Amino acid sequence: MPRFLTGLVDDAAVFPPGSASLPDALAAHVGHRASWYADLVGPLLVPASALPDLARLLDASEGTSATRLDVGVIGDVPLDRLGEAHAAADPRLRVRQVEAAVARRGEDPLPGLAELTALAAGHPDLDVYAEIPLAWGLLNALDQLAEQRRAGTRIAAKFRTGGLAAELFPTPGELATVVCACRDRELPFKLTAGLHHATRHLDPETGFTHHGFVNVLAAVRAAAEGAGVKEVAEVLTRTDPRPLLQQVEPGRDETRPLWVGFGSCSVQEPLTDLIRLGLVDGGWT
């Protein structure tokens, strides 16, 4: 697995639109971890409320009772209870990260961000991601995150790039703006939803236009090299993979700048596109 793809895809199988059952998601994730493409895959993402169920599944599932499982916890409980969920997790569940929305669209993100920052400060072993709406208050929230990181707190940003409604899909200009804003603040970020495929495309079933994860790889690389918002947005609009590949392939042996990765309810779809584009050699097992 090329270095710039390591840990790119967090396994969000239990979340929409895939919505796999927890037992099926666990079995598939164990298979991913044992596969030749294991380095592509990040932790299994689970709701905070599902951690006890996941521990019971480790007891009941053949061959997993002694498994030490890397998980990322998605906050589906109030922010002040996220720390309790982490502290009560089964020791076989190695909680690597916690992700939570700090505000709804149109709300001030700063109060929720302050709560999540307190969680991060109290759990220095965790990487904490604050999901911030691409709306009013965004830049102030990024300033606060950058200040906290400079003070040593392991907190970073997360943005939604899709979902079950059109307003959850940012325009190329909106996404380029936050990529450049994070670049200017040296602030790592994650993305979630809508990034199953490599290049920008129209989903014929929903009518939504999705961002491509190779577009994002190229856009982040362009931003790291000093490109402005307009140029980064242009990279995000491309549907032809050839110029995107020319941009990303020189960095195959380097770590990704700023972009931590993205959650996807499918691991196989991104992997298939990577193989198809020649970024990963899928001809061996």
Side-chain angles (χ1 to χ4, degrees):
M1 189 63 57
R3 188 177 180 188
F4 81 138
L5 298 176
T6 300
L8 179 65
V9 185
D10 284 354
D11 187 353
V14 301
F15 294 93
S19 302
S21 69
L22 195 57
D24 288 347
L26 174 60
H29 187 75
V30 170
H32 297 321
R33 299 300 334 153
S35 71
W36 63 267
Y37 55 84
D39 286 346
L40 175 70
V41 185
L44 177 65
L45 302 184
V46 293
S49 60
L51 286 175
D53 294 330
L54 185 59
R56 284 191 288 270
L57 283 172
L58 290 179
D59 291 329
S61 300
E62 184 177 351
T64 64
S65 60
T67 298
R68 185 77 185 274
L69 191 70
D70 285 350
V71 297
V73 174
I74 307 298
D76 66 337
V77 298
L79 292 177
D80 60 359
R81 288 178 51 202
L82 270 175
E84 298 173 17
H86 168 240
D90 188 286
R92 292 168 298 174
L93 302 178
R94 183 165 46 205
V95 179
R96 282 179 41 184
Q97 60 204 47
V98 169
E99 308 173 19
V102 296
R104 294 185 177 90
R105 194 174 181 88
E107 293 180 344
D108 183 358
L110 292 183
L113 184 58
E115 285 191 67
L116 199 59
T117 299
L119 170 70
H123 295 82
D125 57 321
L126 286 179
D127 287 313
V128 176
Y129 296 93
E131 182 180 325
I132 305 169
L134 303 188
W136 177 81
L138 168 66
L139 295 182
N140 283 340
L142 296 184
D143 286 339
Q144 289 292 320
L145 283 175
E147 182 178 338
Q148 290 297 324
R149 282 191 68 85
R150 286 193 294 270
T153 305
R154 288 171 60 174
I155 192 166
K158 176 182 173 182
F159 307 110
R160 190 159 291 275
T161 48
L164 303 179
E167 63 267 20
L168 297 176
F169 290 79
T171 67
E174 289 171 331
L175 186 53
T177 296
V178 296
V179 168
C180 290
C182 288
R183 182 267 319 274
D184 294 343
R185 293 163 176 78
E186 299 181 344
L187 182 64
F189 65 91
K190 287 191 67 180
L191 301 176
T192 189
L195 289 172
H196 293 191
H197 292 292
T199 54
R200 185 170 176 82
H201 64 283
L202 176 69
D203 186 324
E205 293 186 8
T206 65
F208 299 148
T209 299
H210 290 241
H211 291 285
F213 64 84
V214 174
N215 291 79
V216 178
L217 282 170
V220 170
R221 184 172 175 84
E225 293 173 350
V229 171
K230 184 176 180 180
E231 185 179 349
V232 172
E234 193 277 327
V235 174
L236 291 168
T237 65
R238 293 175 184 163
T239 56
D240 183 350
R242 289 170 294 184
L244 299 173
L245 294 175
Q246 290 174 356
Q247 282 185 272
V248 301
E249 285 186 327
R252 288 174 63 89
D253 297 326
E254 303 169 5
T255 56
R256 291 184 301 281
L258 295 178
W259 187 26
V260 178
F262 66 99
S264 174
C265 67
S266 170
V267 170
Q268 292 297 333
E269 287 179 350
L271 176 64
T272 298
D273 275 12
L274 288 169
I275 294 169
R276 178 177 58 82
L277 294 176
L279 289 172
V280 170
D281 179 7
W284 57 279
T285 59

